Amino acid sequence: MKLMVNKRDIIKGFFISFLGIFLIIFKTTILQAQETKPNLLIIQTDEHNYRTLGCYRETMSKEMAYIWGEESYVTTPNIDKMADEGALCTSFYASSPVCTPSRASFVSGLYPVATGSPSNNKPMNDEIVTFAETLQRNGYSTSYVGKWHLDGNAKPGFAPERKFGFEDNRYMFNRGHWKAFRETPKGMKFLGEFKPEKNSYSYDTKNATEETYATDFLFEKALEIIERDKNGPFCLMLSIPDPHGGNKVRPPYDTMYEDMYFENPASMDVDPETNPKWNNINGRKNVAGRKLNQHAMAQYFGMVKLIDDNIGKILNYLEESGLEENTIVVFTSDHGDLMGEHKKHNKGLPYETSAGIPFVIKYPEKILAGKKIHKALTNVDFAPTILNIMEVEGEQPEYHGIDASELFLNDEKEINEDRITYITNAGARWVAAVSDRYKLVLSPNDEPWLFDLRKDPNEEINYYNHNDYQDIAEEYREELLEMVTKFNDPILIDEKLIY
């Protein structure tokens, strides 16, 4: 029997086969393109003491890890998991430990005096090219959710007109530590009472819910954007206004740590006469001669716990949606919080838990799990480093920071490299040269202070005039003066700085 084949069926079959092959090739090409362009998710907190994170406590002696008491700590399993599966930097600093200058350095790779934002509420210069703008030029969807603090005095300043490469900034706000938000047809709004004439904001956090509390709300919006952009590549920066004061958090986190007793840190009870003059213990945020505020400490711990729980949700989403392997996740902060150390709260000083910030990065495809980097870095180094980790092509602006990508991408699990870099109070009362072990602070208001962070982790002893430290003191002084000259730090105007 002779098989009769319709010519039209042959053509149809050929077309279907060709279309199938084309779709497979097209899909493979898209997947390959996505694989060569990793996604980037940055989670930044505000005023975060790295000692509240389990992964950082593990790098310290027991005495330094539990300065508020052996039973007074908060568990952070999700941030710790990031560190276990990625890299943790033990000597990572804010370029200047105040919100605006630090944030400007993080997004630009420049020291604060070059960004137009050397102090709080100074708007970043229009011409600044951020890492987000570079990624946007390379085909990335770019978004920003949360606190910005680079658009001058605007408060709240929702969705600023200047986007600096963050194309979707609907959930960006400029200033303020709002405790709850809602979404309206006209955009994002805060909940509570704000009196601009008094710069006063109040909100009863007991009324806050998982849908409205600031941390929860912002994480949820970030998840929605990732879901929208998951076919990638995408860049999303999520900036949480907690755990910055005032120290208030929603239920049930507001009562989780109320039964803890917080001891005074050792450096809180030292003789005031032994403090550097640039510490100004009679100034604002002074806690000399008092006990820690137990309620405020418990609320701070609650804010940290809530942040960690939400990070768990976003990490689970990345895993379940198949985005984990090709998504770089960064956890960091803009500056620290002394939380009673050296008789002070908050930031603005060169001490470790004021200027030192957490930096954890997870990138399963290229960064070894459990890596520890002990080389001194600052957030000025972030932009050039992350863009090179991502293998971004094309022209980039000139950075003040270094490209440290090799530290993260090499096959060494423990990095011990010596580097002296510098941090600044941006034209105010001090500049400092820092490494993984030593820190030299120069100020027009005091003699030089040299700390040996290995021998004196509480930063109470000035080694500058000790005989055994003369070579170190001279080396760090010369390096510091060279760096502040190179980067035009205005503190050089005061000739009393030069010893």
Side-chain angles (χ1 to χ4, degrees):
M1 176 174 155
K2 194 172 180 180
L3 183 63
M4 301 295 294
V5 181
N6 189 303
K7 190 175 180 181
R8 183 178 296 176
D9 290 339
I10 294 175
I11 296 172
K12 182 178 179 182
F14 176 79
F15 177 77
I16 292 172
S17 299
F18 175 80
L19 181 61
I21 293 170
F22 174 79
L23 289 173
I24 291 171
I25 293 173
F26 179 76
K27 185 176 180 181
T28 302
T29 303
I30 293 297
L31 289 173
Q32 287 174 345
Q34 290 177 0
E35 288 172 1
T36 58
K37 287 189 174 183
N39 305 310
L40 176 62
L41 169 62
I42 300 163
I43 303 169
Q44 182 184 59
T45 54
D46 192 343
E47 202 164 276
H48 199 153
N49 184 304
Y50 58 71
R51 224 186 295 271
T52 61
L53 306 175
C55 53
Y56 274 88
R57 289 195 299 274
E58 289 174 2
T59 69
M60 305 174 192
S61 68
K62 186 176 180 180
E63 178 186 22
M64 298 308 296
Y66 300 97
I67 62 167
W68 304 294
E70 290 186 22
E71 302 300 322
S72 299
Y73 61 90
V74 53
T75 57
T76 53
N78 297 298
I79 299 170
D80 298 349
K81 182 182 178 184
M82 277 187 61
D84 289 341
E85 297 177 352
L88 177 147
C89 295
T90 59
S91 295
F92 201 93
Y93 293 92
S95 62
S96 181
V98 187
C99 293
T100 295
S102 175
R103 289 165 181 268
S105 290
F106 185 79
V107 298
S108 71
L110 304 173
Y111 275 101
V113 293
T115 65
S117 300
S119 58
N120 269 351
N121 308 330
K122 299 288 187 182
M124 194 160 66
N125 291 337
D126 289 340
E127 68 272 14
I128 294 296
V129 177
T130 69
F131 67 83
E133 184 171 337
T134 300
L135 290 174
Q136 188 182 34
R137 292 172 182 173
N138 278 266
Y140 277 74
S141 299
T142 56
S143 304
Y144 194 103
V145 174
K147 181 183 170 183
W148 177 237
H149 213 163
L150 294 174
D151 204 44
N153 286 315
K155 188 174 182 179
F158 290 116
E161 289 185 11
R162 300 187 309 157
K163 296 184 177 184
F164 288 100
F166 293 103
E167 183 57 33
D168 184 351
N169 73 341
R170 292 170 297 151
Y171 302 110
M172 176 191 280
F173 60 93
N174 186 48
R175 290 176 60 207
H177 295 91
W178 319 99
K179 287 298 180 180
F181 294 108
R182 63 187 175 93
E183 190 167 16
T184 74
K186 293 185 178 181
M188 179 181 176
K189 303 293 181 184
F190 65 84
L191 297 175
E193 184 179 12
F194 176 50
K195 298 177 180 178
E197 67 279 3
K198 297 183 178 180
N199 196 25
S200 171
Y201 169 68
S202 61
Y203 179 74
D204 185 357
T205 51
K206 294 189 182 301
N207 295 326
T209 67
E210 289 185 48
E211 288 74 35
T212 61
Y213 186 75
T215 296
D216 303 291
F217 180 92
L218 296 171
F219 266 96
E220 182 59 32
K221 296 308 171 189
L223 279 167
E224 291 175 7
I225 290 172
I226 295 173
E227 173 65 23
R228 181 196 70 192
D229 295 339
K230 66 182 178 182
N231 292 326
F234 67 80
C235 163
L236 169 64
M237 185 163 176
L238 168 59
S239 177
I240 302 299
D242 280 356
H244 192 291
N247 291 6
K248 294 169 69 177
V249 67
R250 72 163 173 86
Y253 297 87
D254 58 340
T255 58
M256 283 184 180
Y257 303 96
E258 285 295 328
D259 292 337
M260 282 186 178
Y261 178 75
F262 298 92
E263 300 174 8
N264 285 359
S267 64
M268 180 174 166
D269 296 324
V270 298
D271 183 350
E273 295 299 318
T274 66
N275 272 266
K277 293 177 182 177
W278 41 256
N279 188 1
N280 187 22
I281 62 171
N282 295 317
R284 292 180 68 247
K285 308 301 181 184
N286 174 31
V287 292
R290 299 205 306 268
K291 296 291 183 183
L292 288 176
N293 183 316
Q294 300 293 307
H295 177 70
M297 290 289 291
Q299 295 289 298
Y300 189 100
F301 274 29
M303 288 188 283
V304 172
K305 185 63 176 176
L306 179 54
I307 289 167
D308 187 75
D309 285 350
N310 274 281
I311 287 175
K313 293 177 184 177
I314 214 164
L315 293 177
N316 287 339
Y317 171 86
L318 293 176
E319 182 179 0
E320 291 169 0
S321 56
L323 295 171
E324 181 181 25
E325 287 297 314
N326 198 42
T327 299
I328 301 170
V329 184
V330 172
F331 174 81
T332 190
S333 186
D334 58 353
H335 53 75
D337 188 333
L338 286 161
M339 297 179 73
E341 292 183 75
H342 305 283
K343 304 183 183 296
K344 282 293 183 72
H345 284 301
N346 305 148
K347 67 280 187 180
L349 295 169
Y351 291 122
E352 286 293 281
T353 51
S354 167
I357 53 178
F359 188 89
V360 179
I361 181 169
K362 178 176 178 284
Y363 184 16
E365 189 172 299
K366 292 190 178 180
I367 295 178
L368 286 178
K371 181 186 279 277
K372 298 289 189 298
I373 297 174
H374 306 294
K375 183 174 183 175
L377 299 168
T378 76
N379 56 9
V380 175
D381 303 318
F382 176 74
T385 298
I386 198 65
L387 293 175
N388 281 286
I389 288 175
M390 299 171 76
E391 298 182 358
V392 172
E393 298 178 351
E395 185 178 355
Q396 294 185 29
E398 291 188 12
Y399 299 111
H400 291 168
I402 65 168
D403 168 19
S405 58
E406 191 272 337
L407 297 176
F408 296 92
L409 299 176
N410 68 29
D411 58 4
E412 298 178 44
K413 292 198 71 170
E414 199 88 13
I415 307 291
N416 291 285
E417 292 186 11
D418 199 23
R419 180 202 181 196
I420 302 173
T421 186
Y422 113 98
I423 59 176
T424 177
N425 200 216
R429 61 183 185 273
W430 59 264
V431 289
V434 295
S435 70
D436 185 53
R437 176 166 180 177
Y438 300 107
K439 181 186 300 175
L440 174 67
V441 183
L442 298 184
S443 169
N445 303 318
D446 202 355
E447 64 180 346
W449 276 73
L450 177 66
F451 297 108
D452 185 334
L453 301 174
R454 189 175 301 167
K455 289 185 177 180
D456 174 37
N458 277 316
E459 299 175 279
E460 296 173 345
I461 301 170
N462 186 3
Y463 289 92
Y464 189 79
N465 292 314
H466 287 213
N467 289 334
D468 292 343
Y469 288 81
Q470 290 306 296
D471 289 344
I472 294 168
E474 181 64 20
E475 178 188 7
Y476 277 63
R477 187 184 72 87
E478 289 181 1
E479 287 275 355
L480 180 55
L481 295 179
E482 182 179 328
M483 287 184 284
V484 295
T485 302
K486 178 180 180 180
F487 298 118
N488 298 312
D489 196 304
I491 202 165
L492 273 178
I493 292 171
D494 194 328
E495 294 181 358
K496 288 186 293 183
L497 174 65
I498 302 189
Y499 292 88

